[in-house]
Amino acid sequence: MLHFLADRVVTTINTKIHIWEKKMIFFDIDGTLLNHERAEEAGAIEFLKEYKDELKLSGSDFVKIWYDLSDKYFEKFLEEELSFQEQRRMRMKELFGNHLTDEQADKKFNHYLMFYRQNWKVYEDVIPCLEQLKKQGNRLGIISNGDYHQQMEKLEGINIKGYFDCIITSSEIGVSKPNAAIFIEACNLAGVQINESPYIGDRLETDAIGSKNAGMKGIWLNRKDKTAHSDVIVIHQLSQLGVIIN
């Protein structure tokens, strides 16, 4: 389902919206709006405490292993080699051993999810940015890699879902960023001109360059350092966005 929010219609993914407004400002979620890295690390540390007798690892060693497993199996999900649930199970089985049943793996991953959700927080610049953009009359959207239901849960959990007019995920479109098709289809479904629509994300290749190659105005939100890039607009905090967009 492609969901149009804030009193807009809900339509199926195969239905095109032929309103064709000038633009929509699209955002990534993890690392852009939600401080995913902090939540994942904090969740992993709490998970380690729960299973310290089985895992017998230091916090720093475990976090590195956790990140590696997360990247490895989420990529398999994006490549459609595994379902969303299967990639979670495989992470647990590689961590604890293949003797785990699917039910046992699910139970362990649900423990992690509890800790992960408890640590969901927006970056400090998110709410002021979204408020400013909406006051300026902008329509806002989401294009995200991941499972639709989990990404919706995140937006609801950090209390920002209401800012967005449409939410589009790779699990519904059938392709993931940086494939140009997800950006093109998102703009088509939202009824906006792709060349007028900015996309803001924290990953240079996946978000900024990927969206630019699709025809959007790719903007790299580089929160980590002052590195610039010649091919895309670079900002280091969302407070810089209002001037660029308008």
Side-chain angles (χ1 to χ4, degrees):
M1 300 291 290
L2 167 63
H3 282 246
F4 281 80
L5 306 170
D7 299 324
R8 293 181 182 273
V9 298
V10 179
T11 182
T12 63
I13 200 70
N14 294 317
T15 303
K16 301 295 187 290
I17 306 299
H18 294 293
I19 299 173
W20 295 108
E21 298 185 23
K22 187 175 182 182
K23 72 177 181 182
M24 179 176 285
I25 301 169
F26 288 97
F27 289 85
D28 170 52
I29 298 176
D30 297 314
T32 300
L33 305 174
L34 169 70
N35 193 338
H36 167 72
E37 187 172 330
R38 177 192 174 281
E40 185 173 33
E41 180 175 352
I45 292 296
E46 291 299 315
F47 182 79
L48 175 62
K49 292 177 183 177
E50 186 88 359
Y51 293 99
K52 61 183 179 181
D53 293 338
E54 294 178 65
L55 295 170
K56 302 183 187 306
L57 291 164
S58 70
S60 58
D61 287 344
F62 179 70
V63 168
K64 183 181 184 305
I65 291 169
W66 185 267
Y67 284 156
D68 290 344
L69 291 176
S70 179
D71 290 344
K72 174 182 177 179
Y73 287 107
F74 192 73
E75 186 62 32
K76 289 181 181 293
F77 161 68
L78 293 179
E79 295 294 329
E80 299 185 323
E81 296 177 28
L82 296 171
S83 71
F84 193 66
Q85 190 65 28
E86 286 170 343
Q87 62 90 22
R88 289 176 166 181
R89 288 171 180 162
M90 291 305 298
R91 287 158 67 178
M92 294 298 97
K93 290 182 180 184
E94 185 163 336
L95 191 59
F96 289 94
N98 285 321
H99 64 278
L100 287 185
T101 64
D102 287 350
E103 184 179 358
Q104 290 170 329
D106 291 346
K107 183 177 180 180
K108 288 183 185 296
F109 198 88
N110 285 338
H111 284 166
Y112 163 72
L113 280 179
M114 177 180 68
F115 300 128
Y116 175 53
R117 291 187 184 108
Q118 289 171 355
N119 287 281
W120 284 349
K121 287 183 173 60
V122 294
Y123 292 96
E124 291 183 359
D125 55 3
V126 170
I127 301 298
C129 172
L130 299 179
E131 286 282 350
Q132 179 187 17
L133 292 175
K134 293 300 279 186
K135 285 178 182 178
Q136 292 170 342
N138 294 294
R139 296 174 63 217
L140 308 181
I142 293 286
I143 304 173
S144 175
N145 281 351
D147 176 74
Y148 172 78
H149 297 289
Q150 185 180 54
Q151 298 306 80
M152 284 289 286
E153 185 183 7
K154 288 176 182 176
L155 294 174
E156 291 168 352
I158 56 179
N159 298 314
I160 61 172
K161 188 182 80 169
Y163 288 100
F164 298 98
D165 297 286
C166 71
I167 297 167
I168 295 167
T169 65
S170 61
S171 69
E172 296 185 296
I173 299 293
V175 293
S176 57
K177 302 178 298 182
N179 191 315
I182 190 171
F183 300 107
I184 294 169
E185 185 68 357
C187 290
N188 188 30
L189 289 164
V192 294
Q193 298 176 26
I194 192 167
N195 64 321
E196 294 287 346
S197 295
Y199 184 77
I200 302 98
D202 67 299
R203 298 197 174 198
L204 175 60
E205 297 288 340
T206 302
D207 295 325
I209 293 177
S211 59
K212 183 184 179 186
N213 288 344
M216 301 182 79
K217 296 180 178 179
I219 299 173
W220 180 27
L221 174 59
N222 177 12
R223 294 185 180 277
K224 296 184 177 180
D225 56 46
K226 298 301 180 184
T227 302
H229 198 278
S230 58
D231 291 337
V232 294
I233 298 168
V234 182
I235 60 175
H236 302 287
Q237 52 189 8
L238 288 176
S239 59
Q240 299 173 271
L241 192 59
V243 175
I244 294 171
I245 295 297
N246 295 291

